[in-house]
Amino acid sequence: MRTAQQLLADSAVIAVVGASRDPGKAAHRVPAQMQRYGWRIIPVNPTVDELFGERAYASLADIPHPVDLVNVFRPARDAVEVVRQAVAIGAPAVWLQLGIVSAEARRIAEEAGIDYVEDRCLIVERAAAGLSRLG
């Protein structure tokens, strides 16, 4: 199991389930900042067509290319289904944002053999490690 910082270092494409168009929400600010540091952000939100200059998808299954990491901005009760979907598309890792914890989601990820992080923030871990995908 890779550490949170190893996951970020190894990932280039991050699918963000629950990405928000509201700049006041963490589900907008966090992926936007990751994009500014060079990660490709693929928004997963069935109510928008585009976010962060990228096409948005209604579900993980609709994304037509591989993703390195599935980042979850959904309540813990929804995380179980998101992790099941991440496993189904062959995502190698799932990250539940700060404040999101699910024993069932963790169990599903572990049984599938994929990396799993919960209750941590992407931008905090990126900053702590000084990571960037730019030049």
Side-chain angles (χ1 to χ4, degrees):
M1 178 88 74
R2 293 175 287 174
T3 67
Q5 293 177 355
Q6 285 171 324
L7 282 177
L8 289 179
D10 293 348
S11 298
V13 180
I14 302 173
V16 181
V17 178
S20 175
R21 64 179 146 210
D22 180 350
K25 291 186 174 183
H28 181 92
R29 289 190 315 269
V30 170
Q33 183 173 346
M34 294 301 290
Q35 187 180 56
R36 280 194 296 276
Y37 279 92
W39 279 265
R40 181 172 181 204
I41 300 299
I42 307 300
V44 179
N45 180 327
T47 67
V48 297
D49 294 327
E50 183 180 300
L51 274 173
F52 319 113
E54 290 274 356
R55 178 177 171 197
Y57 296 91
S59 73
L60 289 172
D62 294 329
I63 301 172
H65 51 76
V67 299
D68 301 313
L69 176 63
V70 174
N71 180 224
V72 182
F73 277 96
R74 299 292 304 144
R77 68 181 175 278
D78 297 344
V80 173
E81 183 55 32
V82 173
V83 173
R84 283 191 182 111
Q85 292 174 18
V87 170
I89 67 163
V94 175
W95 184 305
L96 276 56
Q97 272 299 129
L98 191 64
I100 307 169
V101 176
S102 172
E104 178 71 1
R106 175 181 286 278
R107 182 190 63 75
I108 292 165
E110 287 173 351
E111 287 178 0
I114 67 173
D115 292 310
Y116 181 86
V117 174
E118 65 183 11
D119 196 22
R120 308 276 288 273
C121 180
L122 285 177
I123 59 175
V124 170
E125 297 299 326
R126 186 218 59 77
L131 295 172
S132 175
R133 297 198 67 80
L134 299 173

